[in-house]
Amino acid sequence: MNAVTPATLYLVTAILLILIGLAGVLVRRNILKMVLGFALADTGINLLIATLGSNPERTAPILDKPELLANPSLVVDPIPQALVLTAIVIGLGVTALMLAYVIRLYALRQSLDIRDFGRLKW
Amino acid sequence: MKRAFPFLFVTVVMWLLWLVLAGNLDPQEMLAGAVVAVLVAALRSSGPCLLGGPEVLHPRRILYALAYIPYMIWAIVLANLDVAGRVLRPRLKINPGIVKVRTNLHSQVGRMILANSITLTPGTLSVDIVGDDMYIHWIDVESRDAEAATRKIAAGFEKYLEVIFG
Amino acid sequence: MKQILSVVLLLAMGWFLVGLVPLGQPTEPGRVAQHYIDNGIDENRGANLVTSVIVNYRGFDTLGEVTVLFLSVAGAGFVLRRRDGLVRHEHRPSSEILQTGARMLFAPIVVFGAYIFVHGHLSPGGGFQGGAVIASAVMLLLLADRSHHLPHGLMHWLESMAGFGYVMAGVAGLVVAGSFLSNQGVLPLGTWNRLFSAGIIPIIYILVGLKVGTELSSLLDVMIDTGRPARQEGGRS
Amino acid sequence: MTDLMRLVGASLTFLGSAFLFLGALGIFRMPDIYNRMQAGTKATTLGNILTLTGLGLLAPAWLPKIMLIVLFVLITNPLSSHALARAAHRSGVTLARETIYDALREDEEAAGIGPGSPVEIDAAAGSSEVTP
């Protein structure tokens, strides 16, 4: 690691996002903020995967120009991007379900504090 | 014709929008765009009922609509110079208040464009509309009287919008 | 105590992640990816290789993904269906200006969403993104005018038919070319970089776009229509 | 030709960002939400338009789509600030000390409803019926 490349910056940002999100899940007591933490960590993981498949010498895997069609090795690996696309959709579904439960929990106790939901704690 | 006009109008506008997005005139794009435009225009929610009849395409109205664009751009530039002047002055020079303005536009789109224009022009922000009364936040109130405020704030735009939206 | 513990845990995890990730080294495509890059155009004619991977090479996964999204929306709808402890929002119409604007913007936003999912095989974008854009148009309409009712019958029909069509496209590949979701010989592949190309890929992405759009719209409808708690007091927030 | 267009495009982009900065400064300096929104809305609209137009001149292939975005911003930006201002007034956000007059509050009080009341002003006054 000699110089700071954009890819390094993306990786550091991604790791920070994951850690901030997990910190939100662990430290916060408000359930809504915990859900936000999950979403943040999700974004960080997506950024991490997308960056792992990047390469500053190559371009996006869309062969829409004749020169790219003639020389397809100018594009990056499409698989991480496809994975991230799937992960975003799954993350959306998970977040939607979590938010639905948040609404139900709030209706149950009129509170979003995780300490009010300690029944299953050992 | 009178019933079919809004549908046709929305279809044509959406088709043009599709062609601008696609950025070329490939016949395949034109076909796909036409299909999508017809389907979208057929949705009940897509608001063809906001339009009147074919009279909205009267040449006089189109001419006024074209003249409205530079008038509006000039007003936006003036508004920004006004904001810049107020913000950069060491002491804030404001005299704000909410005044009432009367509009005699009846078209819903016309009223929306009037409210948007008022928001984008120097020192005014539309806060609420109740019936024909618009409540405008004015950063430098010159008159509390509804008549005078209407003349000062809305009359310039209404002159155009009354012709454009009838 | 717990706070300190979690901070220590996070620091350890960050250290682990930094060690795990090859910082600053550009990656070359692996063997599978190289195959996709070299043969993707010949096999699918879709200019966007990511779309080729999602809808064709890993099309089965995408079918599962669509199912997951459907299940999560259905689950959210099920959880929010019971209304005990909730009362409906009192009806507060928003400003006339806002309603007019929302209705004016609805059609262009839907056209934009359709543009995105129809061009999924040519440019960045696709069914999921286009569907989300369409759902945003519906959200605008619902937020501006609470009394607006979505055509639930039409939406359910569209949603089921889109899912059914996806499976049918896969079965067509099974019948014609001998493997589920195969793109060979089902539809003509067409010319590279034109709209009508890439065989069944655009068809599937259009179906996915419709399905995602209707699913997310009904999710928003359920969430907006849930209401607020019957009692306001009580509980730490 | 291209050099001139690059120069004009870059200057427009710079001017646009200057207006965006002034808008941010206005939000910082103005005393209450309505005045802040005044500065914010106007400056972000023109700032966005100038920045986008400059970009369009730098990359002429994008110009049609950029014009679409400009149109979209012109409709949505004032609409959203209208919605925010209305919501603020409805929920009873106080106006700045310098404010000299509030016609909306007067009319609401004349109709017998306070700020934040769930009752609609037009329903109480029985005047306007929005017909689609």
Side-chain angles (χ1 to χ4, degrees):
Chain A
M1 199 174 77
N2 317 324
V4 177
T5 60
T8 316
L9 277 182
Y10 299 150
L11 287 176
V12 171
T13 315
I15 292 174
L16 279 179
L17 272 176
I18 295 173
L19 292 182
I20 291 170
L22 288 180
V25 175
L26 289 174
V27 174
R28 291 284 162 186
R29 300 231 165 86
N30 188 324
I31 303 177
L32 202 57
K33 287 179 183 166
M34 292 166 74
V35 173
L36 278 179
F38 266 114
L40 213 55
D42 198 36
T43 315
I45 292 170
N46 290 339
L47 184 58
L48 187 69
I49 299 177
T51 314
L52 283 179
S54 78
N55 187 330
E57 287 150 21
R58 293 163 174 248
T59 178
I62 298 173
L63 303 171
D64 59 349
K65 292 191 185 65
E67 62 265 29
L68 284 178
L69 191 64
N71 187 7
S73 65
L74 284 176
V75 299
V76 298
D77 192 344
I79 294 177
Q81 309 202 6
L83 265 178
V84 167
L85 203 50
T86 310
I88 290 172
V89 177
I90 305 296
L92 175 89
V94 171
T95 313
L97 205 55
M98 282 198 287
L99 285 176
Y101 275 110
V102 168
I103 294 177
R104 281 314 305 179
L105 287 176
Y106 188 63
L108 193 69
R109 293 275 158 82
Q110 315 296 323
S111 154
L112 282 179
D113 193 313
I114 194 72
R115 285 169 295 181
D116 289 342
F117 299 93
R119 273 247 192 105
L120 278 182
K121 222 171 152 185
W122 62 86
Chain B
M1 185 60 202
K2 186 127 176 84
R3 297 285 294 275
F5 174 76
F7 175 77
L8 283 176
F9 186 79
V10 172
T11 309
V12 170
V13 171
M14 290 306 125
W15 189 60
L16 291 176
L17 172 66
W18 178 280
L19 290 183
V20 173
L21 285 172
N24 58 47
L25 288 176
D26 189 332
Q28 296 181 354
E29 295 280 0
M30 291 167 111
L31 178 64
V35 172
V36 170
V38 168
L39 287 178
V40 169
L43 288 176
R44 200 163 44 86
S45 319
S46 63
C49 44
L50 289 174
L51 281 166
E55 70 271 8
V56 295
L57 289 179
H58 192 280
R60 191 170 126 85
R61 295 185 173 199
I62 294 178
L63 212 65
Y64 266 73
L66 289 180
Y68 190 65
I69 297 171
Y71 182 74
M72 196 59 225
I73 290 176
W74 181 237
I76 294 177
V77 171
L78 279 185
N80 275 273
L81 296 179
D82 178 69
V83 165
R86 277 182 214 284
V87 168
L88 291 177
R89 203 164 293 164
R91 261 184 57 85
L92 280 181
K93 182 176 154 289
I94 55 173
N95 183 27
I98 295 180
V99 297
K100 187 151 75 168
V101 163
R102 210 153 239 296
T103 171
N104 35 32
L105 290 173
H106 298 295
S107 146
Q108 287 191 350
V109 181
R111 285 150 77 117
M112 188 201 91
I113 292 181
L114 177 66
N116 277 4
S117 307
I118 287 175
T119 302
L120 287 178
T121 43
T124 50
L125 173 82
S126 68
V127 175
D128 205 346
I129 180 166
V130 177
D132 282 341
D133 294 331
M134 278 186 167
Y135 295 90
I136 308 292
H137 183 265
W138 202 355
I139 207 165
D140 189 7
V141 176
E142 291 171 23
S143 163
R144 301 181 184 198
D145 177 45
E147 295 295 320
T150 309
R151 235 177 297 123
K152 190 87 186 140
I153 295 175
F157 302 116
E158 281 196 328
K159 206 169 56 196
Y160 289 89
L161 292 173
E162 263 175 356
V163 180
I164 298 173
F165 294 101
Chain C
M1 183 56 212
K2 267 186 195 164
Q3 312 274 2
I4 299 168
L5 196 68
S6 48
V7 168
V8 171
L9 193 69
L10 284 171
L11 283 179
M13 197 176 156
W15 182 247
F16 176 70
L17 270 176
V18 170
L20 198 67
V21 165
L23 278 174
Q25 289 163 14
T27 48
E28 298 296 318
R31 221 149 44 87
V32 180
Q34 197 58 49
H35 173 86
Y36 293 160
I37 291 174
D38 290 338
N39 303 318
I41 296 289
D42 291 339
E43 289 172 8
N44 281 314
R45 289 301 150 70
N48 188 343
L49 287 177
V50 180
T51 303
S52 294
V53 172
I54 287 183
V55 181
N56 188 256
Y57 295 119
R58 303 246 55 99
F60 204 64
D61 294 4
T62 307
L63 188 57
E65 181 189 356
V66 170
T67 315
V68 167
L69 192 61
F70 170 73
L71 281 178
S72 83
V73 170
F78 181 73
V79 169
L80 293 176
R81 190 176 51 102
R82 288 179 54 205
R83 294 186 186 281
D84 45 324
L86 295 170
V87 292
R88 286 196 157 227
H89 286 283
E90 71 269 37
H91 185 56
R92 281 183 72 170
S94 54
S95 147
E96 176 203 330
I97 308 276
L98 192 64
Q99 291 182 17
T100 314
R103 282 166 59 186
M104 233 176 90
L105 287 169
F106 179 76
I109 297 178
V110 172
V111 168
F112 182 56
Y115 166 80
I116 288 179
F117 67 63
V118 170
H119 287 76
H121 57 299
L122 298 179
S123 56
F128 296 100
Q129 297 91 321
V133 170
I134 289 183
S136 77
V138 174
M139 178 161 78
L140 182 66
L141 211 58
L142 284 176
L143 286 178
D145 185 1
R146 288 275 170 79
S147 65
H148 204 96
H149 290 293
L150 294 178
H152 285 288
L154 175 71
M155 280 168 62
H156 287 168
W157 186 82
L158 212 58
E159 208 252 311
S160 336
M161 279 302 131
F164 181 67
Y166 195 159
V167 177
M168 278 301 117
V171 171
L174 190 62
V175 171
V176 176
S179 73
F180 192 69
L181 280 171
S182 167
N183 201 5
Q184 308 302 321
V186 181
L187 281 175
L189 287 180
T191 344
W192 163 77
N193 215 7
R194 295 211 39 204
L195 185 58
F196 295 163
S197 66
I200 58 170
I201 289 179
I203 308 287
I204 291 180
Y205 244 7
I206 289 170
L207 292 174
V208 170
L210 290 175
K211 195 166 161 64
V212 171
T214 46
E215 270 167 6
L216 291 186
S217 305
S218 9
L219 179 70
L220 292 167
D221 190 35
V222 163
M223 281 194 166
I224 286 175
D225 202 31
T226 301
R228 58 180 175 75
R231 289 158 292 149
Q232 287 291 352
E233 75 282 359
R236 290 164 287 185
S237 62
Chain D
M1 172 55 198
T2 42
D3 274 354
L4 185 68
M5 245 163 78
R6 282 175 64 90
L7 184 68
V8 174
S11 328
L12 279 182
T13 310
F14 178 75
L15 205 62
S17 37
F19 274 119
L20 286 172
F21 171 74
L22 283 177
L25 197 64
I27 289 176
F28 181 68
R29 286 200 63 192
M30 290 293 177
D32 68 350
I33 181 169
Y34 307 97
N35 288 306
R36 285 178 178 182
M37 222 145 17
Q38 291 246 9
T41 313
K42 295 179 223 305
T44 51
T45 310
L46 189 65
N48 271 332
I49 292 175
L50 286 179
T51 313
L52 287 169
T53 316
L55 268 180
L57 290 181
L58 290 177
W62 297 351
L63 204 55
K65 284 184 194 178
I66 281 176
M67 283 302 121
L68 278 183
I69 303 177
V70 165
L71 201 63
F72 190 75
V73 167
L74 269 180
I75 298 177
T76 50
N77 215 348
L79 254 185
S80 58
S81 74
H82 166 79
L84 281 173
R86 185 176 187 268
H89 203 278
R90 277 292 154 95
S91 50
V93 174
T94 47
L95 284 93
R97 237 175 330 109
E98 295 91 335
T99 309
I100 57 167
Y101 181 54
D102 186 351
L104 182 54
R105 169 68 43 80
E106 278 180 11
D107 283 8
E108 276 183 337
E109 275 164 7
I113 42 183
S117 149
V119 190
E120 277 304 301
I121 179 169
D122 35 7
S127 59
S128 85
E129 185 69 26
V130 181
T131 43

